[in-house]
Amino acid sequence: MSDALLSVDNLITEFETDEGRVRAVDDISFSVQPGETLGIVGESGCGKSVTALSIMRLLPQPMGQIVGGEIKLNGEDLTKLKLSQMEKIRGNKIGMVFQEPMTALNPVHTVGRQLAEVLYLHKDISKDQALRECLEMLDKVGIPSPDVRMGEYPHQLSGGMRQRVVIAMALACQPSLLIADEPTTALDVTIQAQILELIKELQNDMGMAVMLITHDLGVIAETSNSVVVMYAGKVAEQGNVYEIFDNPSHPYTRGLLDSIPKLETVPKSELSTIEGMVPGLLDLPVGCRFENRCPRRKESCKAAPPPIEVIAGSHQVSCYEWSKSVNE
Amino acid sequence: MNGVNLSMSDKAETNSPILQVRDLKMHFPVKEGIFLRTGKYNKAVDGVSFDIQPGETMGLVGESGCGKSTLGRCITRLYKPTAGSIVFEDKDITNISGRELKPYRQDIQMIFQDPMESLNSRHTVGDILMEPFIVQNIGDKQYRQKRVKELLEIVGLPSRSITRYPFEFSGGQRQRIGIARSIALNPKLIVCDEPVSALDVSIQSQILNLLIELQREFNLSYLFIAHDLAVVKHISDRIAIMYLGKVVESSDGESVYREAKHPYTQSLISAIPVPDPHRKADRQILVGDVPSPINPPDGCTFHTRCPKAMDSCSNKSPQLVSLPEKTQHKVSCHLYE
Ligand SMILES: Nc1ncnc2c1ncn2[C@@H]1O[C@H](COP(=O)(O)OP(=O)(O)OP(=O)(O)O)[C@@H](O)[C@H]1O
Ligand SMILES: Nc1ncnc2c1ncn2[C@@H]1O[C@H](COP(=O)(O)OP(=O)(O)OP(=O)(O)O)[C@@H](O)[C@H]1O
Ligand code: SF4
Ligand SMILES: [Mg+2]
Ligand SMILES: [Mg+2]
């Protein structure tokens, strides 16, 4: 799609490790439209954070490398930019909330100073104005007594508060794209709702797009327009949120949706799960990567990786047996 | 499950609680100014009481920073409480220390949210699981090795894991290692502090199934802390809702969910995201100041955010009392007095 804000095409990211090269992200493609939210879900270790870090060009160096594909922001290929050019884009056009909030905060500087710095660096405003905007931002993300907290160091805040500071920093410059990696996992649902609402407001007011990584399918259903389901470095299924939730077509997606504990289930009854373990990146199967755990596996699934097929509209799946999965 | 002998307590205690917590307080001093004088206190846990029966799970839900982990750490006696009492199997363990505490280090265990933090990454899984036996000086080398294999089997990990290191495992597998270690010494009570929060749903349900199975098999009691009410409701017999250091509502899971009385519980339930895009809920989003435990508001500590606050709420603290129609259901709110 040409009008996409972000379009990731055939991205491949690899790591150099002691035991050899591993391909953490293997030929994935998706796009994000202005103002929309794209949700990314998938098993722990399937490459969600590595995808985000690839877009930000913040892969651990020198081990991590983008070895193929394009990442276009407003048509400009980020993989081709010099790091100095990329620095201007980070924090300004793209804001990121990292999975580990401590990594984004400098332990020796006060919260206020770090937040003001972001504004001061990217916006043409006075120090006073930067401070005022900081207070406003901290207040918006639900930090009590923001004036006191501005003078505190990261270690003096509870985990949930640190997370909110990081969210405030990412939103401070009103980026056109927010990449949020598990932004609300450490927060209780009332604060989570407050922050998701704040993000929604910014989307409505300024057309900010969001790439949201989370394992909470409730949050995905509620916030996302489209969804990418990843498994072992590949896209298993993608589509708009209704296509994914109403008509999950990859056996992995179905397994995920079936595993959600619901408020209505009988307490202590056995929850449905996906048996088995994800294959390691060093010994990936030749065929479908879900093959060792899949309830619909056929002998032929082991032979070669299933191609990506279009089901309808934006709905795509990578499974030989998807049509059998659907009508059940 | 195989027939490993994690011996259950054979004392006749069927009707007495395994754990009794009374008016427990944990106040951390807050250091201020250049002389680091201690002026104020962070009242992280401020008067909490409850019982847990053998084989029972009590769920604990609440605002981030409301004192859940601190409460768990008091019960496992990683912290020495400021006031109140903790009675474990009729023995007051609130203030004991050293040698006296040793048997309780065996009976009461803890599982953490991030097993990476609690598992020493330079030790192999075998060493990690062997450690509790060495610390408590239980069995010889052969016995310990046999037990480690059994433990791995119970939590569903291959026995070749023994020679591997924690970082070689996925998040869900690491949590299994943490669980294996916590049950190594046949504990009676396990404090589970967000054991599944970092896991994706399919792994999360594997771990929940495992915890429930272990409870049935060994009559374990759990204090189960989590943010996800659906998860807590699934595993718990009773649930307590905490806000700013205090329990504001408690009852059986079904009643807390279907007949929530406290306005905080109600907003908590209304804020749960529903995994159904057709039901984009029109939810009640709390506004107002999120209070700090260092300067808690007067009166009901929830009044700064409460959509139903009345005049009296800002100057008088409500007490946790039973509902007239149902004594097991307790709530702390002026609306029900
Ligand atoms: N620095 C690194 N060196 C080698 N391998 C790495 C490195 N960082 C990540 N990987 C591997 O890349 C894969 C993808 O990791 P990633 O962090 O993207 O997972 P994720 O989907 O974000 O998982 P989670 O839900 O647990 O956060 C994993 O198998 C991981 O082991
Ligand atoms: N060792 C400590 N020293 C000083 N203050 C502490 C300590 N541990 C916790 N606190 C404070 O006690 C309060 C309660 O923290 P606690 O970690 O118990 O919250 P929690 O309910 O577990 O939150 P979360 O859901 O974010 O894990 C917080 O204000 C925290 O800053
Ligand atoms: S391709 Fe085969 S193994 Fe893979 S998900 Fe589909 S049915 Fe299962
Ligand atoms: Mg990640
Ligand atoms: Mg905690």
Side-chain angles (χ1 to χ4, degrees):
Chain A
M1 265 169 276
S2 53
D3 56 348
L5 173 71
L6 174 78
S7 104
V8 172
D9 298 299
N10 307 104
L11 176 70
I12 302 175
T13 302
E14 292 183 345
F15 286 100
E16 201 70 71
T17 73
D18 291 345
E19 287 119 288
R21 255 182 122 67
V22 296
R23 194 167 270 202
V25 168
D26 191 3
D27 195 9
I28 69 169
S29 304
F30 60 84
S31 62
V32 189
Q33 310 301 312
E36 89 157 11
T37 299
L38 172 83
I40 302 190
V41 286
E43 196 98 0
S44 172
C46 71
K48 305 182 293 294
S49 297
V50 170
T51 302
L53 293 175
S54 303
I55 296 170
M56 293 295 278
R57 298 273 308 276
L58 285 175
L59 291 166
Q61 290 304 310
M63 306 85 79
Q65 273 163 11
I66 297 174
V67 300
E70 291 182 333
I71 299 169
K72 287 197 185 129
L73 185 74
N74 285 322
E76 183 176 29
D77 188 353
L78 301 184
T79 64
K80 304 241 154 49
L81 293 187
K82 292 205 201 77
L83 282 177
S84 59
Q85 294 172 298
M86 198 58 215
E87 252 159 45
K88 293 217 181 71
I89 289 185
R90 285 199 289 263
N92 200 9
K93 286 186 184 161
I94 312 181
M96 171 141 187
V97 177
F98 294 88
Q99 191 166 6
E100 228 341 295
M102 263 327 239
T103 55
L105 294 171
N106 188 329
V108 302
H109 291 162
T110 62
V111 165
R113 173 167 170 185
Q114 301 188 48
L115 195 50
E117 213 151 74
V118 177
L119 286 168
Y120 200 64
L121 268 180
H122 293 288
K123 272 176 135 185
D124 188 22
I125 54 171
S126 72
K127 282 205 165 134
D128 269 1
Q129 209 176 341
L131 282 178
R132 242 176 296 133
E133 285 194 21
C134 289
L135 279 177
E136 221 170 273
M137 220 47 229
L138 288 177
D139 191 49
K140 273 192 183 164
V141 295
I143 297 233
S145 21
D147 44 338
V148 179
R149 297 301 183 183
M150 291 266 286
E152 293 192 332
Y153 293 87
H155 71 92
Q156 291 174 285
L157 309 183
S158 89
M161 265 185 221
R162 274 182 221 145
Q163 186 66 316
R164 279 174 266 173
V165 170
V166 172
I167 292 170
M169 280 171 68
L171 294 175
C173 288
Q174 313 187 325
S176 44
L177 174 67
L178 173 72
I179 300 181
D181 196 350
E182 301 280 6
T184 56
T185 308
L187 307 176
D188 71 293
V189 287
T190 65
I191 300 288
Q192 168 172 287
Q194 218 169 312
I195 284 175
L196 295 177
E197 186 65 23
L198 169 69
I199 292 176
K200 202 188 290 168
E201 266 168 38
L202 291 173
Q203 286 183 282
N204 292 341
D205 295 354
M206 336 177 304
M208 179 178 78
V210 178
M211 188 177 128
L212 178 70
I213 299 173
T214 173
H215 60 250
D216 189 330
L217 290 153
V219 171
I220 294 273
E222 212 142 275
T223 59
S224 302
N225 307 88
S226 44
V227 183
V228 170
V229 182
M230 287 183 69
Y231 190 83
K234 285 197 169 287
V235 173
E237 179 166 7
Q238 62 178 310
N240 72 41
V241 70
Y242 299 104
E243 289 164 341
I244 299 295
F245 280 81
D246 294 347
N247 191 10
S249 302
H250 196 285
Y252 175 64
T253 314
R254 291 175 69 97
L256 270 187
L257 291 172
D258 287 343
S259 306
I260 305 174
K262 302 192 182 55
L263 280 156
E264 291 75 27
T265 52
V266 179
K268 302 199 182 185
S269 58
E270 187 168 345
L271 294 168
S272 120
T273 65
I274 304 172
E275 289 305 320
M277 302 289 167
V278 219
L281 292 179
L282 282 163
D283 42 11
L284 288 171
V286 216
C288 172
R289 296 197 174 168
F290 190 53
E291 159 260 297
N292 65 327
R293 304 171 72 190
C294 181
R296 337 212 128 256
R297 175 198 50 221
K298 293 267 153 54
E299 225 18 64
S300 51
C301 298
K302 294 186 184 178
I308 293 175
E309 291 182 59
V310 175
I311 296 176
S314 57
H315 197 180
Q316 302 177 356
V317 67
S318 167
C319 165
Y320 292 114
E321 299 286 311
W322 69 268
S323 56
K324 290 174 194 141
S325 215
V326 174
N327 304 311
E328 251 168 60
Chain B
M1 178 117 350
N2 61 2
V4 181
N5 177 26
L6 282 182
S7 69
M8 276 182 241
S9 165
D10 43 20
K11 283 180 226 158
E13 58 195 350
T14 17
N15 283 320
S16 65
I18 187 158
L19 181 76
Q20 287 175 283
V21 174
R22 290 294 172 273
D23 206 22
L24 194 73
K25 293 184 181 164
M26 185 72 217
H27 294 181
F28 295 107
V30 177
K31 301 229 176 357
E32 279 181 326
I34 39 171
F35 299 112
L36 293 179
R37 261 179 314 202
T38 302
K40 294 176 180 159
Y41 286 89
N42 180 339
K43 301 181 176 176
V45 175
D46 198 24
V48 169
S49 305
F50 61 88
D51 289 350
I52 299 182
Q53 306 297 327
E56 187 189 45
T57 304
M58 172 151 123
L60 195 57
V61 184
E63 187 101 0
S64 140
C66 72
K68 303 179 297 294
S69 300
T70 304
L71 177 62
R73 284 166 187 219
C74 287
I75 289 166
T76 45
R77 283 301 321 279
L78 294 171
Y79 292 158
K80 187 167 178 295
T82 314
S85 70
I86 304 166
V87 174
F88 182 80
E89 290 188 325
D90 300 328
K91 160 98 180 156
D92 190 326
I93 62 163
T94 324
N95 294 306
I96 60 172
S97 55
R99 188 175 289 277
E100 252 194 310
L101 200 51
K102 210 172 169 194
Y104 301 98
R105 292 261 178 266
Q106 188 170 338
D107 286 343
I108 309 176
Q109 293 287 329
M110 189 148 179
I111 306 174
F112 299 90
Q113 167 170 359
D114 184 358
M116 228 21 203
E117 261 173 48
S118 59
L119 302 176
N120 188 332
S121 55
R122 277 162 308 174
H123 290 178
T124 62
V125 171
D127 292 341
I128 289 170
L129 295 182
M130 201 75 92
E131 191 193 286
F133 297 100
I134 296 172
V135 171
Q136 294 280 350
N137 200 8
I138 295 172
D140 55 10
K141 193 167 179 214
Q142 208 185 354
Y143 170 82
R144 291 172 185 168
Q145 277 171 346
K146 189 178 117 241
R147 287 288 287 136
V148 168
K149 284 210 181 101
E150 285 170 352
L151 288 167
L152 287 172
E153 200 178 322
I154 293 177
V155 300
L157 288 173
S159 58
R160 65 185 140 76
S161 312
I162 288 181
T163 56
R164 302 225 166 157
Y165 293 87
F167 60 81
E168 297 179 66
F169 292 84
S170 73
Q173 289 170 317
R174 281 203 292 266
Q175 198 53 280
R176 284 171 195 266
I177 301 169
I179 292 173
R181 187 180 57 176
S182 76
I183 60 171
L185 300 172
N186 308 334
K188 295 168 183 165
L189 172 68
I190 304 182
V191 174
C192 311
D193 192 358
E194 309 209 30
V196 295
S197 305
L199 307 174
D200 49 290
V201 284
S202 70
I203 304 299
Q204 177 175 299
S205 39
Q206 285 181 5
I207 298 290
L208 290 173
N209 285 344
L210 173 66
L211 288 172
I212 292 168
E213 210 174 289
L214 291 171
Q215 175 166 64
R216 289 216 179 97
E217 182 108 348
F218 306 120
N219 202 35
L220 289 169
S221 302
Y222 295 137
L223 176 66
F224 190 96
I225 302 170
H227 283 308
D228 186 334
L229 191 63
V231 166
V232 172
K233 182 172 171 285
H234 186 78
I235 195 167
S236 303
D237 300 285
R238 280 180 309 124
I239 297 179
I241 309 286
M242 258 181 101
Y243 192 81
L244 221 61
K246 293 193 163 81
V247 171
V248 295
E249 180 159 11
S250 72
S251 191
D252 59 281
E254 209 61 37
S255 306
V256 166
Y257 171 51
R258 294 190 197 280
E259 293 150 36
K261 297 286 189 252
H262 197 284
Y264 176 64
T265 315
Q266 289 170 350
S267 48
L268 200 71
I269 290 168
S270 130
I272 298 170
V274 189
D276 176 358
H278 299 281
R279 277 172 55 196
K280 288 194 175 150
D282 181 23
R283 66 174 35 105
Q284 163 199 346
I285 293 190
L286 290 175
V287 288
D289 274 353
V290 183
S292 135
I294 304 167
N295 281 313
D298 289 336
C300 170
T301 50
F302 186 56
H303 86 260
T304 55
R305 296 168 80 201
C306 182
K308 295 182 181 163
M310 310 166 288
D311 285 345
S312 60
C313 300
S314 51
N315 47 52
K316 195 166 146 260
S317 321
Q319 301 299 313
L320 187 68
V321 290
S322 294
L323 293 175
E325 68 269 25
K326 190 171 184 188
T327 53
Q328 309 94 297
H329 195 149
K330 294 183 180 156
V331 62
S332 162
C333 168
H334 290 312
L335 289 169
Y336 305 95
E337 279 172 355

